Amino acid sequence: MGFSANGSMVGSSAIVGWVASRGISGGIKQYYLGGNTQNQVVPDKGNLQVIANSTFITLESSRLYMVFQLEATEPLSWLIFATGSTGLFPAAPSYTLTKHLDKVSTRIDYSKAQLGSSQVDGGNSSQGDGNSSQLDTCDSKLNLSVPLFFDTTKLNCLPVWNSQGYILRYSQSSPNIWSFILSAPNPNSYIAMGFSPNGGMVGSSAIVGWISSNGAGGGMKQYYLAGTTPNQVVPDRGNLKVLTNSTLITSQSSRLYMVFQLQTNHPLSQLIYAIGPNGIFPSAPSFALAQHQDKISITLNYATGSSGSENPTMNLKRIHGVVNILGWGILIIMGAIVARHFKEWDPFWFYFHASVQSLGFVLGVIGVISGLVLNNELHVDVTLHKALGIIILVLACLQIMAFLGRPNKESKVRKYWNLYHHNIGRVLIILAIANIFYGIYLGKEGSAWLVGYGIVLALLLSIAVFFKIRPWSTRD
């Protein structure tokens, strides 16, 4: 039986008792769980003040009875219960404790003598039917088996991330106390809810909760997101005033429920939700937070219970994509086709080529600028995409300078200028096409954008091929 500050095994102190078969030997000891490995589970250590000569274990009618007394104003409310491997007992001189066969943690209200199962991992008692994780909706009644310390009957409820099944319940419990319950299917990773001053991750403070499926326990912490690198995501820091003993993370019917209360007149309305990488959890001593595998931001109107656009940067992201596709991916290619195959229509081809390429360049510059702004807003790692965009812009600037400094047709260096101009243009087009497809992939816009631009590109390629082979057919 362990006593934990947050429901996690690591950092807890446990009273362990055993009686071998037929009652020939037994014992009872306190252990300190400093980590997940056997050498970190230390006998005769811990934070429990066990009263001398108060411990006793006996076997009666095939049941073990373990008795002990603690000196404490009130014991920790998170309790952990475990059963060891069959036939394996701690033994002198090391009294090493083997890994538990199963465990469960629960939170108890000593004053009301009420408890509810919570944070179960490895057993079936709270995981339930895997399909039941979809049963939590705003139309269903919240029915947690864990006692909460605020009124849950008047909670506002709304889906906040449909693709991940995130549901937020909240209420203003008093003039300066707000209560939150975030519900999500158990993803075998951490779930997070951040409060941002501007909708971006940098500068926000987040509540992060997790329950491991491998028996390593769970926990909740506040993190401050000072930057985009892991060492700038700082645990136990942030601008949120979390009420003492108000945090709770529990698993029920294959869903995680993360509960917390904030002391504030009005929480920030820009909220960020994130899901961590599968199977990777914060752990002692650093509790470093691995980079999320997906995230979303919304604007919440607490008074009406309605959320705004799922992503305030979505319009900017689409503008960035459209102007880059139109500029670098369509107009520049059209201008190159006209310059290559329509020179008999002189001087029309020249003016068309110069006009279309200039318009494509202007749109491309707008696309690059919007991309830089978008990168500052989202704070995601798109190093390759950004580098290719800058290279494309540099090549386009070189083409503009080459156009302004082009020699006369009669000049001896004109053929070298043509070689330079044509090949730089080809490289620009190839990089632009590759970066457009890569950008669509990064933007997670789905197959519609990929197919749409693919069709346009195939049409332009078909036109180029047609005019390429046309002289051969007319020659025959």
Side-chain angles (χ1 to χ4, degrees):
M1 176 179 177
F3 296 79
S4 172
N6 56 11
S8 170
M9 291 190 67
V10 176
S12 65
S13 301
I15 303 295
V16 180
W18 65 94
V19 174
S21 58
R22 300 179 184 176
I24 57 176
S25 64
I28 184 169
K29 280 184 176 292
Q30 180 178 180
Y31 286 77
Y32 179 70
L33 285 71
N36 298 319
T37 59
Q38 282 189 339
N39 63 346
Q40 293 176 300
V41 180
V42 187
D44 298 321
K45 300 292 183 183
N47 300 319
L48 303 176
Q49 300 294 323
V50 183
I51 296 177
N53 300 320
S54 72
T55 61
F56 175 71
I57 189 163
T58 184
L59 175 66
E60 292 185 17
S61 302
S62 300
R63 292 186 67 88
L64 289 182
Y65 292 85
M66 187 171 70
V67 182
F68 59 94
Q69 289 182 298
L70 299 181
E71 183 178 348
T73 303
E74 182 173 291
L76 294 173
S77 58
W78 278 109
L79 305 181
I80 302 174
F81 301 93
T83 178
S85 302
T86 304
L88 299 178
F89 303 94
S94 64
Y95 288 97
T96 300
L97 202 63
T98 59
K99 184 175 175 60
H100 56 270
L101 180 67
D102 199 4
K103 86 171 187 71
V104 66
S105 60
T106 188
R107 193 176 189 182
I108 184 171
D109 184 346
Y110 292 100
S111 63
K112 299 180 181 178
Q114 293 179 345
L115 59 85
S117 65
S118 165
Q119 288 199 16
V120 179
D121 48 71
N124 297 323
S125 57
S126 79
Q127 295 301 324
D129 181 3
N131 296 328
S132 64
S133 65
Q134 301 303 321
L135 295 180
D136 186 24
T137 67
C138 287
D139 295 326
S140 62
K141 181 181 179 182
L142 181 67
N143 188 24
L144 293 180
S145 59
V146 182
L148 300 180
F149 304 108
F150 57 86
D151 184 10
T152 61
T153 60
K154 298 180 181 180
L155 293 171
N156 298 290
C157 180
L158 71 156
V160 290
W161 195 359
N162 290 328
S163 63
Q164 296 292 348
Y166 278 41
I167 293 176
L168 178 65
R169 293 176 172 88
Y170 69 93
S171 67
Q172 187 175 9
S173 303
S174 66
N176 65 337
I177 302 296
W178 289 76
S179 304
F180 296 89
I181 303 177
L182 179 64
S183 162
N186 193 339
N188 193 34
S189 63
Y190 68 76
I191 61 174
M193 176 178 175
F195 296 78
S196 172
N198 56 11
M201 292 191 67
V202 175
S204 65
S205 301
I207 302 295
V208 180
W210 64 93
I211 294 180
S212 170
S213 61
N214 60 7
M220 276 181 70
K221 280 186 177 292
Q222 180 178 179
Y223 286 78
Y224 180 68
L225 286 71
T228 57
T229 58
N231 64 340
Q232 293 177 300
V233 181
V234 188
D236 299 320
R237 294 287 187 272
N239 299 319
L240 304 176
K241 294 183 178 179
V242 183
L243 263 64
T244 305
N245 298 324
S246 74
T247 60
L248 165 70
I249 181 80
T250 182
S251 175
Q252 185 171 310
S253 300
S254 299
R255 291 186 70 90
L256 292 183
Y257 291 83
M258 189 169 71
V259 184
F260 59 96
Q261 290 183 295
L262 300 181
Q263 182 178 351
T264 177
N265 292 326
H266 198 281
L268 294 174
S269 59
Q270 299 281 355
L271 304 180
I272 301 173
Y273 301 93
I275 180 172
N278 186 270
I280 301 177
F281 303 90
S283 60
S286 66
F287 287 98
L289 200 64
Q291 183 175 349
H292 56 270
Q293 62 169 298
D294 200 4
K295 80 172 186 72
I296 195 172
S297 60
I298 71 167
T299 302
L300 176 62
N301 186 325
Y302 291 95
T304 63
S306 60
S307 60
S309 172
E310 286 193 337
N311 194 336
T313 60
M314 183 62 70
N315 290 335
L316 181 59
K317 185 167 69 172
R318 288 178 176 167
I319 290 172
H320 169 71
V322 168
V323 294
N324 275 303
I325 290 174
L326 186 58
W328 303 126
I330 296 178
L331 292 178
I332 294 294
I333 298 176
M334 286 177 56
I337 292 174
V338 169
R340 180 69 177 84
H341 300 291
F342 289 83
K343 286 188 176 179
E344 65 269 21
W345 293 3
D346 195 36
F348 166 77
W349 75 268
F350 174 78
Y351 294 115
F352 184 88
H353 172 73
S355 301
V356 169
Q357 300 298 72
S358 298
L359 179 58
F361 175 77
V362 171
L363 291 176
V365 171
I366 295 173
V368 170
I369 294 173
S370 64
L372 294 175
V373 173
L374 191 63
N375 185 59
N376 290 332
E377 291 289 333
L378 294 179
H379 302 284
V380 293
D381 185 11
V382 290
T383 304
L384 178 58
H385 183 62
K386 182 167 64 174
L388 288 174
I390 293 173
I391 291 172
I392 291 167
L393 179 60
V394 170
L395 293 177
C397 291
L398 291 176
Q399 290 289 71
I400 295 293
M401 289 188 290
F403 172 76
L404 296 175
R406 74 188 188 282
N408 295 327
K409 292 181 181 180
E410 296 79 14
S411 174
K412 293 181 179 181
V413 299
R414 180 61 180 248
K415 63 178 181 180
Y416 301 109
W417 182 91
N418 287 336
L419 186 65
Y420 161 84
H421 184 62
H422 296 164
N423 287 320
I424 291 294
R426 292 186 181 101
V427 173
L428 189 157
I429 289 173
I430 292 171
L431 292 180
I433 292 172
N435 208 29
I436 286 170
F437 279 115
Y438 184 48
I440 294 174
Y441 165 76
L442 291 175
K444 298 180 180 179
E445 290 292 345
S447 58
W449 282 60
L450 291 171
V451 172
Y453 181 62
I455 292 173
V456 172
L457 191 61
L459 181 60
L460 292 172
L461 181 61
S462 299
I463 294 172
V465 171
F466 172 77
F467 284 105
K468 179 71 175 178
I469 64 176
R470 188 184 61 166
W472 300 346
S473 61
T474 56
R475 190 179 306 161
D476 294 339

